[in-house]
Structures are given as structure tokens and as C-alpha cells.
Coordinates of all heavy atoms in Angstrom, one line a residue:
G956 N 1.5 -3.0 8.7 CA 0.5 -3.6 7.9 C 0.3 -2.7 6.7 O 0.0 -1.5 6.8
L957 N 0.2 -3.4 5.5 CA 0.1 -2.7 4.3 C -1.3 -2.2 4.0 O -1.5 -1.0 3.3 CB 0.7 -3.4 3.0 CG 2.1 -3.3 2.8 CD1 2.9 -4.0 3.8 CD2 2.5 -4.1 1.5
T958 N -2.2 -2.6 4.6 CA -3.6 -2.2 4.5 C -3.7 -0.9 5.2 O -4.4 0.2 4.7 CB -4.6 -3.2 5.1 OG1 -4.6 -4.5 4.5 CG2 -6.0 -2.6 5.0
T959 N -3.2 -0.7 6.4 CA -3.1 0.5 7.1 C -2.4 1.6 6.4 O -2.9 2.7 6.2 CB -2.5 0.4 8.6 OG1 -3.3 -0.4 9.3 CG2 -2.5 1.8 9.2
A960 N -1.3 1.3 5.7 CA -0.5 2.2 5.0 C -1.3 2.6 3.8 O -1.2 3.9 3.4 CB 0.9 1.5 4.6
Y961 N -2.0 1.6 3.2 CA -2.8 2.0 2.0 C -3.9 3.0 2.4 O -4.1 4.1 1.5 CB -3.5 0.7 1.4 CG -4.3 1.0 0.2 CD1 -3.9 1.2 -1.0 CD2 -5.8 0.9 0.5 CE1 -4.8 1.4 -2.1 CE2 -6.6 1.3 -0.6 CZ -6.2 1.4 -1.8 OH -7.1 1.6 -2.9
N962 N -4.6 2.8 3.4 CA -5.6 3.7 3.8 C -5.1 5.1 4.1 O -5.8 6.1 3.7 CB -6.4 3.1 5.1 CG -7.2 2.0 4.7 OD1 -7.8 1.8 3.6 ND2 -7.5 1.0 5.7
I963 N -4.0 5.2 4.7 CA -3.3 6.5 5.0 C -3.0 7.1 3.6 O -3.2 8.3 3.5 CB -2.1 6.3 5.9 CG1 -2.6 5.8 7.3 CG2 -1.3 7.6 6.0 CD1 -1.4 5.5 8.2
S964 N -2.4 6.4 2.9 CA -1.9 7.0 1.5 C -3.1 7.4 0.6 O -3.0 8.5 0.0 CB -1.1 5.9 0.8 OG -0.7 6.4 -0.6
L965 N -4.1 6.6 0.8 CA -5.3 6.9 -0.1 C -5.8 8.4 0.3 O -6.4 9.2 -0.4 CB -6.4 5.9 0.1 CG -7.5 5.8 -0.9 CD1 -7.0 5.5 -2.3 CD2 -8.5 4.7 -0.4
Q966 N -6.0 8.5 1.6 CA -6.4 9.9 2.1 C -5.5 11.0 1.8 O -5.8 12.1 1.3 CB -6.5 9.8 3.7 CG -7.8 9.0 4.2 CD -7.9 8.9 5.7 OE1 -7.3 9.8 6.4 NE2 -8.7 8.0 6.2
A967 N -4.1 10.7 1.9 CA -3.1 11.8 1.6 C -3.0 12.2 0.3 O -2.8 13.3 -0.2 CB -1.7 11.3 2.2
A968 N -3.4 11.1 -0.6 CA -3.3 11.4 -2.1 C -4.3 12.4 -2.6 O -4.3 13.0 -3.6 CB -3.6 10.1 -2.8
Q969 N -5.4 12.7 -1.7 CA -6.4 13.6 -2.1 C -5.8 15.0 -2.1 O -6.1 15.8 -2.8 CB -7.6 13.5 -1.1 CG -8.3 12.2 -1.2 CD -9.4 12.0 -0.2 OE1 -9.8 13.1 0.4 NE2 -10.0 10.9 -0.1
A970 N -4.8 15.2 -1.3 CA -4.2 16.5 -1.2 C -2.8 16.6 -1.9 O -2.4 17.6 -2.4 CB -3.9 16.9 0.4
N971 N -2.3 15.5 -2.2 CA -1.1 15.3 -2.8 C -1.0 14.3 -3.9 O -0.8 13.1 -3.6 CB 0.0 15.0 -1.7 CG 1.4 15.0 -2.5 OD1 1.7 15.2 -3.7 ND2 2.5 14.6 -1.7
P972 N -1.5 14.5 -5.1 CA -1.7 13.5 -6.1 C -0.4 12.7 -6.4 O -0.5 11.6 -7.1 CB -2.1 14.4 -7.4 CG -2.7 15.7 -6.8 CD -2.0 15.9 -5.6
K973 N 0.8 13.3 -6.1 CA 2.0 12.5 -6.4 C 2.0 11.1 -5.6 O 2.7 10.2 -6.0 CB 3.2 13.3 -5.9 CG 3.5 14.6 -6.8 CD 4.7 15.2 -6.4 CE 4.9 16.5 -7.1 NZ 6.3 17.2 -6.8
L974 N 1.2 11.1 -4.5 CA 1.1 9.8 -3.8 C 0.2 8.7 -4.4 O 0.0 7.7 -3.9 CB 0.5 10.1 -2.3 CG 1.6 10.8 -1.4 CD1 0.9 11.3 -0.1 CD2 2.7 9.8 -1.1
N975 N -0.4 9.1 -5.6 CA -1.3 8.1 -6.2 C -0.3 7.0 -6.7 O -0.8 5.7 -6.6 CB -1.9 8.7 -7.5 CG -3.1 9.5 -7.1 OD1 -3.7 9.2 -6.2 ND2 -3.3 10.6 -7.8
A976 N 1.0 7.2 -7.0 CA 1.9 6.1 -7.4 C 2.1 5.2 -6.2 O 2.1 3.9 -6.4 CB 3.2 6.8 -7.8
V977 N 2.1 5.9 -4.9 CA 2.3 4.9 -3.7 C 1.0 4.1 -3.5 O 1.1 3.0 -3.2 CB 2.6 5.9 -2.6 CG1 2.6 5.1 -1.2 CG2 3.9 6.5 -2.6
T978 N -0.2 4.8 -3.7 CA -1.3 3.9 -3.5 C -1.5 2.8 -4.4 O -1.8 1.8 -4.0 CB -2.5 4.9 -3.7 OG1 -2.3 6.1 -2.7 CG2 -3.8 4.3 -3.4
D979 N -1.1 3.1 -5.7 CA -1.1 1.9 -6.7 C -0.2 0.9 -6.4 O -0.5 -0.4 -6.6 CB -0.9 2.6 -8.2 CG -2.0 3.5 -8.7 OD1 -3.1 3.5 -8.1 OD2 -1.6 4.2 -9.6
M980 N 1.0 1.1 -6.0 CA 2.0 0.2 -5.6 C 1.5 -0.6 -4.4 O 1.6 -1.9 -4.4 CB 3.4 1.0 -5.2 CG 4.5 0.0 -4.8 SD 4.5 -0.2 -3.0 CE 4.9 1.5 -2.4
L981 N 1.0 0.0 -3.3 CA 0.6 -0.7 -2.2 C -0.7 -1.7 -2.5 O -0.8 -2.7 -2.0 CB 0.1 0.2 -1.1 CG 1.3 1.1 -0.4 CD1 0.7 2.2 0.5 CD2 2.1 0.0 0.5
K982 N -1.5 -1.2 -3.4 CA -2.7 -2.0 -3.8 C -2.3 -3.3 -4.6 O -2.8 -4.4 -4.4 CB -3.6 -1.2 -4.7 CG -4.9 -1.9 -5.0 CD -5.9 -1.0 -5.6 CE -7.3 -1.6 -5.8 NZ -7.3 -3.0 -6.4
E983 N -1.2 -3.2 -5.2 CA -0.6 -4.4 -5.9 C -0.2 -5.3 -5.0 O -0.5 -6.7 -5.1 CB 0.5 -4.0 -6.9 CG 0.1 -3.3 -8.1 CD 1.4 -3.0 -9.0 OE1 2.4 -3.6 -8.8 OE2 1.2 -2.2 -10.0
Y984 N 0.6 -5.0 -3.9 CA 0.9 -5.9 -2.8 C -0.4 -6.4 -2.0 O -0.4 -7.7 -1.8 CB 1.8 -5.2 -1.8 CG 3.2 -5.1 -2.2 CD1 3.7 -4.2 -3.1 CD2 4.2 -6.0 -1.7 CE1 5.0 -4.1 -3.5 CE2 5.5 -6.0 -2.0 CZ 5.9 -5.0 -3.0 OH 7.2 -5.0 -3.4
I985 N -1.2 -5.6 -1.8 CA -2.4 -6.1 -1.1 C -3.3 -7.0 -1.8 O -3.7 -8.1 -1.4 CB -3.4 -4.9 -0.6 CG1 -2.6 -3.9 0.4 CG2 -4.8 -5.2 -0.2 CD1 -3.3 -2.6 0.8
D986 N -3.4 -6.8 -3.2 CA -4.1 -7.6 -4.1 C -3.5 -9.1 -4.2 O -4.2 -10.1 -4.4 CB -4.4 -7.1 -5.5 CG -5.3 -5.9 -5.5 OD1 -6.0 -5.7 -4.6 OD2 -5.3 -5.1 -6.5
A987 N -2.2 -9.0 -3.9 CA -1.4 -10.3 -4.0 C -1.4 -11.0 -2.6 O -0.9 -12.0 -2.5 CB 0.1 -10.1 -4.4
G988 N -2.2 -10.4 -1.7 CA -2.2 -11.0 -0.4 C -1.0 -10.8 0.6 O -0.8 -11.3 1.6
K989 N -0.1 -9.9 0.1 CA 1.2 -9.5 0.8 C 0.8 -8.3 1.7 O 1.1 -7.2 1.4 CB 2.4 -9.3 -0.2 CG 2.5 -10.4 -1.1 CD 3.7 -10.0 -2.1 CE 4.0 -11.1 -3.0 NZ 5.0 -10.8 -4.0
L990 N 0.3 -8.6 2.9 CA -0.1 -7.6 3.8 C 0.9 -7.1 4.8 O 0.7 -6.3 5.7 CB -1.4 -8.0 4.5 CG -2.5 -8.4 3.6 CD1 -3.8 -8.7 4.4 CD2 -2.9 -7.4 2.4
G991 N 2.0 -7.9 5.0 CA 2.9 -7.7 6.0 C 3.3 -8.8 6.8 O 3.0 -10.0 6.5
V992 N 3.9 -8.5 7.9 CA 4.1 -9.7 9.0 C 3.0 -10.6 9.2 O 3.2 -11.8 9.3 CB 4.7 -9.1 10.3 CG1 5.1 -10.2 11.4 CG2 6.0 -8.3 9.9
A993 N 1.8 -10.0 9.4 CA 0.6 -10.8 9.8 C 0.3 -12.0 8.8 O -0.2 -13.0 9.2 CB -0.6 -9.9 9.8
T994 N 0.7 -11.7 7.4 CA 0.4 -12.7 6.4 C 1.6 -13.6 6.1 O 1.5 -14.4 5.2 CB -0.3 -12.2 5.1 OG1 0.6 -11.2 4.6 CG2 -1.6 -11.7 5.7
G995 N 2.8 -13.3 6.6 CA 4.0 -13.9 6.2 C 4.8 -13.4 5.2 O 6.0 -13.8 4.8
E996 N 4.2 -12.3 4.6 CA 4.8 -11.7 3.5 C 4.4 -10.3 3.2 O 3.1 -10.1 3.3 CB 4.9 -12.5 2.2 CG 5.7 -11.9 1.0 CD 5.8 -12.7 -0.2 OE1 5.2 -13.7 -0.2 OE2 6.5 -12.2 -1.2
G997 N 5.2 -9.3 3.1 CA 4.9 -7.9 2.6 C 5.9 -7.5 1.7 O 6.1 -8.1 0.6
F998 N 6.7 -6.6 2.2 CA 7.8 -6.2 1.4 C 9.0 -7.1 1.5 O 9.9 -7.4 0.7 CB 8.3 -4.7 1.7 CG 7.4 -3.7 1.3 CD1 6.6 -2.9 2.3 CD2 7.2 -3.3 0.0 CE1 5.7 -2.1 1.9 CE2 6.3 -2.4 -0.4 CZ 5.5 -1.8 0.5
Y999 N 8.9 -7.9 2.7 CA 9.9 -9.0 3.0 C 9.1 -10.3 3.3 O 7.8 -10.2 3.4 CB 10.8 -8.7 4.2 CG 11.7 -7.4 4.1 CD1 11.2 -6.1 4.3 CD2 12.9 -7.7 3.6 CE1 12.0 -5.1 4.2 CE2 13.8 -6.6 3.4 CZ 13.3 -5.2 3.7 OH 14.2 -4.3 3.6
K1000 N 9.8 -11.4 3.2 CA 9.2 -12.7 3.6 C 9.7 -13.0 5.0 O 10.7 -12.8 5.5 CB 9.7 -13.8 2.6 CG 9.2 -13.6 1.3 CD 9.6 -14.8 0.3 CE 9.0 -14.6 -1.1 NZ 9.4 -15.8 -1.9

């Protein structure tokens, strides 16, 4: 689930700012409702 991945990335980015790019990328998917298998689409359909 991308929400879980986002929360993990958000915490990790505090120690590793390079992960901000990951957090931003995941947020775009989440904002589009693409949360993973549970919603029928994430990185795949």
C-alpha cells in the first residue's frame, strides 16, 4: 500500500533528505487515488 510506503518515507526523509523526492513521488500517486492493489491501481493496474 502506497500510504504505508509514504508514511515510512516521510519519517526516513527526516534523516535522509534525498528521500524527499520519493515522498513527493508517492504523494502524487496517493493524491490521484492510486494506493495500490486495494484501490485497483498503484504503480500497476
Side-chain angles (χ1 to χ4, degrees):
L957 273 64
T958 301
T959 296
Y961 173 79
N962 288 330
I963 292 171
S964 180
L965 199 61
Q966 290 182 10
Q969 296 176 10
N971 182 4
K973 291 182 179 179
L974 286 169
N975 284 327
V977 170
T978 303
D979 292 342
M980 176 270 292
L981 290 170
K982 190 173 187 305
E983 289 182 12
Y984 277 81
I985 291 170
D986 288 346
K989 300 176 181 179
L990 308 184
V992 175
T994 58
E996 185 173 0
F998 292 107
Y999 294 93
K1000 292 184 178 181

